[in-house]
């Protein structure tokens, strides 16, 4: 996930199976796009939620996503 033009190199270098998300301007290399940085936390929270029903989303992945969301929330809280 990235919001900078240099992230295009990262999206290009990652394997096809990687989940790539561009924040802000639309990317031709990223699989998914979010409109703004304000969309990132809700997006990650949605992925880490208990209601996620993707069979490939294991409990371990959900726990890691929740930890990531909590980390970013902590940064956001300390910033404000």
């Amino acid at each position: 996930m990235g919001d900078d033009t240099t992230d295009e190199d990262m999206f290009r270098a990652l394997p096809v199976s990687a989940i790539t998300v561009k924040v802000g301007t639309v990317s031709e290399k990223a699989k998914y796009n979010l409109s703004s940085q304000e969309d990132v936390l809700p997006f990650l929270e949605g992925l880490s939620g208990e209601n996620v029903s993707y069979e490939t989303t294991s409990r371990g992945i959900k726990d890691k996503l929740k930890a990531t969301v909590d980390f970013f929330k902590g940064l956001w809280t300390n910033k404000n």
Side-chain angles (χ1 to χ4, degrees), residues 19 44-66:
I19 298 172
L44 292 173
E45 286 175 325
L47 289 177
S48 66
E50 294 300 318
N51 294 329
V52 175
S53 61
Y54 301 111
E55 293 177 18
T56 58
T57 306
S58 70
R59 181 70 187 150
I61 291 172
K62 287 182 184 180
D63 289 342
K64 289 176 185 176
L65 284 169
K66 181 168 180 354

Side-chain angles (χ1 to χ4, degrees), residues 69-80:
V69 169
D70 292 343
F71 171 77
F72 282 112
K73 280 184 178 177
L75 287 178
W76 184 259
T77 302
N78 291 333
K79 182 179 176 183
N80 295 324

Side-chain angles (χ1 to χ4, degrees), residues 4-50:
D4 191 81
T5 56
T6 59
D7 294 314
E8 294 298 310
D9 294 332
M10 172 184 62
F11 298 146
R12 201 174 295 111
L14 289 169
V16 176
S17 61
I19 298 172
T20 52
V21 182
K22 175 69 175 195
V23 180
T25 58
V26 175
S27 167
E28 292 182 14
K29 299 299 177 191
K31 288 183 183 177
Y32 303 99
N33 292 280
L34 294 174
S35 298
S36 68
Q37 291 177 343
E38 289 78 24
D39 296 330
V40 171
L41 278 177
F43 172 76
L44 292 173
E45 286 175 325
L47 289 177
S48 66
E50 294 300 318

